Amino acid sequence: MTRIDRDTIHHLEVLSQIHLDDEEAKVLGGQLERIVAFVEKLSHADTAGVEPTGLMAHDDASALRDDTPRDGLDREAVLSRAPDRAGEFFSVPRVLGGGGE
Amino acid sequence: MDLTRQTVATLRRELEDGRINPLDIVDAHLDAIEQRDGDVHAFLDVHADSARDAARRLTDDGSYRTLPLGGIPVALKDNICTTAGRTTCASKILEHYSSPYDATVVSRLRSAGAIVIGKTNLDEFAMGSSTENSAFGPSHNPWNLERAPGGSSGGSAAAVAAGLAPVALGSDTGGSIRQPASFCGVVGMKPTYGCVSRYGLVAFASSLDQIGPLTRSVADAARVTRVIAGHDRNDSTTLRCAMGQREGATDADADARTDAPLTIGVPRSFVEAAQHAEVQQNFDDVVERLSKRGVQIVNVELPHAEYASAAYYVVANAEASTNLARFDGVRYGHRSRNSPDLDAMYANTRAEGFGAEVKRRILLGTYVLSAGYYDAYYHRAMQVRSLMIRDYEAAFGRCDLIATPTSPTPAFPLGERVDDPLAMYLADAFTIPVSLAGLPAISVPSGRADDGLPLGFQLAGRPCDEETVFRGALRVESVAGFTEAVA
């Protein structure tokens, strides 16, 4: 069975941008191990030479539409939903050099 | 007449004959919500004022008399965007979010005269099979309040079953319309992938998600599907073969009266994996009654169905981990306030905003997509998906529809599976293979277990062949004799 250790969980935390506390990491790690063991069943299916299906398409409708300009959402309506804004911009905490104020 | 126990067809007849008006229907349902929803908790928000306003407008201009859903209240799963009120996905991260636009299905319902009466509870971001993963508390099964209503569209199913709305929309990724319909004794239809626009449906797994109706009759499900289906320029995956847009599309009601030949395939060895005696017994009974009524029954094989759940949890969660990256505290929704820099803000926002199941699935999806694991899990799951599609193509060479129970069990007790994700995942064993192949499928109430809980019968059809699905479902409805549409 695949082991999902603390280092693996930490790696997944970083990749998925979700902070986990120690207790949460422990519980989730154990649950993920059991779920991964379950999906490992896939290795028993004979898939040699089988093309993967990523997207469903039951007809040829998923073609590109005409490239005609049209109005998007109202800027003020969109910006008014942001947790923080500066005029016409979304505002976020500093990008570099966090930690010290 | 108790207006909260009727089908859409009956309500429409009463409206057309002038015996009632839209406000009578809306008021009756608002009263029922007031009286019962404290126990059931089907709704996250009730749109009482805007529903009454809409009813008055439809009455004043008289348009309700001719529109297909004129004056009919509809409840919407709260992952369907509405400009009215909030759209929360039952998540803390969207607790105060209101959408700047309406989903395409909402515009279509409104054009057909329907009245949005409120937004229903769900498993957070539609991830779950019991509605217990809602950040705002579980819904309860109207037939037995200690039982789960199923999920993830549990609020929608409970609302229809409890007489709080004659129609609700849900979304189905691996069974999230059909399984709660089965648990709550209502009809639940998942159309072909691409039949109904997903524009304004908050994405969980984009290659699987599909919106569909929960109703009190098969004819009602067909009526609502016809309203919401069709190509949409805002969703490039929508089909042009979608229901209602084909030439000569027929009325399922009319079809039911004909005795057109129908062959139903039963994947016997797959069905026998349902080890619940009453589920098995009910399924066999309905198949036998169909056979006596002239439906031809044949055995079919779905040899790769045993891998379907594993493939589904890889594909769906891989897509979910990508889709849910958008919830980052920048453009909308919750933002964590005590973070020194941008990366910490992302990680804390998502830690505070997402519940346990959503985190579990994002981590799993991230894992199966990460370097070194992609081929073993994600690529392989997509190959198994192709094999599943081939299984169905071969089976449909011998039959028009494929029947299974909808769920391996009747509604399970609230709390029974919350700490065991794998046990919860098994609730969708019969609905998942159909989802992987993108097929249309319906759950029809087919009887009751000894303790009175409803059971459901699933029929799946060929891509874009909703009409045959409805035709078969009408036959199931007529032989099953499940007459109490409201708990």
Side-chain angles (χ1 to χ4, degrees):
Chain A
M1 187 168 123
T2 305
R3 280 273 295 135
I4 298 194
D5 55 21
R6 188 66 185 89
D7 286 348
T8 309
I9 287 287
H10 182 69
H11 182 54
L12 295 177
E13 271 186 77
V14 172
L15 289 177
S16 60
Q17 300 271 28
I18 299 176
H19 171 73
L20 303 175
D21 62 38
D22 286 344
E23 181 57 28
E24 224 178 355
K26 210 170 114 191
V27 172
L28 278 168
Q31 289 171 333
L32 278 184
E33 251 177 33
R34 287 194 294 280
I35 296 169
V36 168
F38 170 71
V39 302
E40 270 169 3
K41 191 177 190 175
L42 289 171
S43 64
H44 302 303
D46 181 4
T47 58
V50 178
E51 283 295 311
T53 298
L55 284 174
M56 295 303 301
H58 294 300
D59 67 6
D60 56 1
S62 21
L64 299 176
R65 67 177 175 226
D66 293 339
D67 186 15
T68 44
R70 51 180 179 145
D71 291 338
L73 294 169
D74 176 70
R75 179 159 54 188
E76 189 50 38
V78 171
L79 280 165
S80 68
R81 284 157 171 89
D84 198 4
R85 64 183 280 190
E88 293 174 2
F89 299 95
F90 296 114
S91 178
V92 295
R94 62 203 295 178
V95 176
L96 294 173
E101 283 301 307
Chain B
M1 174 186 278
D2 180 350
L3 298 179
T4 67
R5 305 181 73 87
Q6 310 303 322
T7 61
V8 174
T10 301
L11 292 171
R12 283 297 309 155
R13 217 160 30 240
E14 295 292 308
L15 286 164
E16 282 163 22
D17 293 349
R19 280 190 288 274
I20 57 172
N21 66 50
L23 197 56
D24 297 331
I25 301 179
V26 167
D27 281 338
H29 285 92
L30 291 173
D31 286 349
I33 291 168
E34 181 80 34
Q35 282 165 29
R36 270 196 98 174
D37 204 41
D39 291 333
V40 175
H41 192 224
F43 285 89
L44 292 177
D45 281 323
V46 179
H47 295 182
D49 293 340
S50 59
R52 286 201 181 94
D53 287 347
R56 285 191 200 98
R57 267 199 312 278
L58 286 159
T59 307
D60 290 346
D61 69 13
S63 59
Y64 75 89
R65 288 177 185 276
T66 50
L67 292 168
L69 295 175
I72 302 298
V74 177
L76 301 174
K77 186 177 183 177
D78 203 24
N79 60 352
I80 296 173
C81 287
T82 52
T83 51
R86 305 180 298 165
T87 299
T88 69
C89 294
S91 179
K92 274 192 189 163
I93 210 161
L94 290 177
E95 184 169 3
H96 305 292
Y97 177 72
S98 75
S99 170
Y101 65 97
D102 280 322
T104 296
V105 290
V106 175
S107 316
R108 287 190 182 224
L109 285 171
R110 201 170 288 129
S111 302
I115 297 169
V116 174
I117 195 161
K119 306 290 289 284
T120 58
N121 200 10
L122 62 152
D123 289 295
E124 184 177 0
F125 287 106
M127 296 176 180
S129 306
S130 70
T131 318
E132 291 168 288
N133 295 331
S134 168
F136 309 119
S139 299
H140 298 258
N141 192 313
W143 295 91
N144 178 338
L145 296 173
E146 307 295 311
R147 299 278 170 151
S152 65
S153 311
S156 288
V160 175
L164 312 181
V167 176
L169 292 191
S171 66
D172 191 313
T173 305
S176 279
I177 290 173
R178 294 160 284 160
Q179 183 257 17
S182 172
F183 277 21
C184 290
V186 300
V187 174
M189 173 72 184
K190 181 198 90 76
T192 307
Y193 177 79
C195 178
V196 177
S197 171
R198 291 179 291 111
Y199 181 69
L201 172 69
V202 179
F204 160 16
S206 303
S207 78
L208 296 155
D209 296 341
Q210 188 62 191
I211 295 174
L214 296 105
T215 60
R216 295 188 187 128
S217 75
V218 172
D220 284 1
R223 181 192 292 249
V224 177
T225 304
R226 220 167 265 128
V227 165
I228 60 175
H231 182 71
D232 177 14
R233 63 182 304 198
N234 287 325
D235 176 358
S236 66
T237 62
T238 47
L239 302 168
R240 292 185 197 278
C241 72
M243 198 183 169
Q245 303 219 325
R246 264 174 317 172
E247 301 223 359
T250 49
D251 185 346
D253 278 311
D255 273 352
R257 288 188 288 271
T258 71
D259 282 320
L262 189 67
T263 304
I264 293 182
V266 177
R268 201 34 82 184
S269 52
F270 180 48
V271 169
E272 275 160 13
Q275 287 166 357
H276 193 280
E278 288 174 288
V279 168
Q280 195 74 249
Q281 185 63 48
N282 174 260
F283 178 76
D284 292 344
D285 281 354
V286 172
V287 168
E288 189 174 327
R289 276 182 256 165
L290 287 167
S291 168
K292 281 186 182 150
R293 295 275 284 270
V295 174
Q296 197 187 345
I297 306 294
V298 297
N299 273 315
V300 294
E301 298 290 333
L302 298 174
H304 296 93
E306 62 169 310
Y307 302 112
S309 289
Y312 171 82
Y313 279 98
V314 170
V315 169
N317 295 323
E319 294 183 21
S321 70
T322 310
N323 272 325
L324 272 64
R326 76 193 64 190
F327 300 103
D328 58 4
V330 174
R331 289 155 300 153
Y332 40 69
H334 172 74
R335 173 185 292 190
S336 176
R337 283 297 159 191
N338 298 309
S339 304
D341 61 31
L342 184 63
D343 278 339
M345 188 279 281
Y346 290 148
N348 290 332
T349 292
R350 292 158 65 78
E352 293 164 15
F354 291 142
E357 178 66 12
V358 173
K359 290 177 186 171
R360 202 150 44 224
R361 294 196 188 212
I362 291 174
L363 292 180
L364 178 67
T366 304
Y367 180 78
V368 299
L369 289 174
S370 62
Y373 300 104
Y374 181 94
D375 284 337
Y377 298 112
Y378 185 62
H379 187 79
R380 211 173 176 84
M382 291 195 296
Q383 290 177 309
V384 168
R385 191 170 185 183
S386 302
L387 292 169
M388 200 65 244
I389 293 169
R390 285 189 206 166
D391 281 2
Y392 279 109
E393 282 169 357
F396 281 121
R398 307 193 53 214
C399 60
D400 304 307
L401 296 168
I402 293 173
T404 64
T406 307
S407 164
T409 66
F412 45 78
L414 286 165
E416 185 186 82
R417 302 187 185 194
V418 276
D419 295 323
D420 186 350
L422 277 175
M424 191 69 89
Y425 295 175
L426 295 177
D428 297 323
F430 290 129
T431 47
I432 278 174
V434 182
S435 296
L436 283 177
L439 305 174
I442 197 166
S443 178
V444 183
S446 56
R448 307 239 229 151
D450 284 345
D451 53 10
L453 291 167
L455 300 168
F457 191 92
Q458 176 179 247
L459 286 173
R462 298 184 183 95
C464 298
D465 195 10
E466 276 76 13
E467 295 295 346
T468 303
V469 173
F470 285 127
R471 194 153 61 82
L474 283 163
R475 301 230 184 148
V476 172
E477 189 174 51
S478 77
V479 302
F482 184 96
T483 49
E484 290 162 278
V486 177

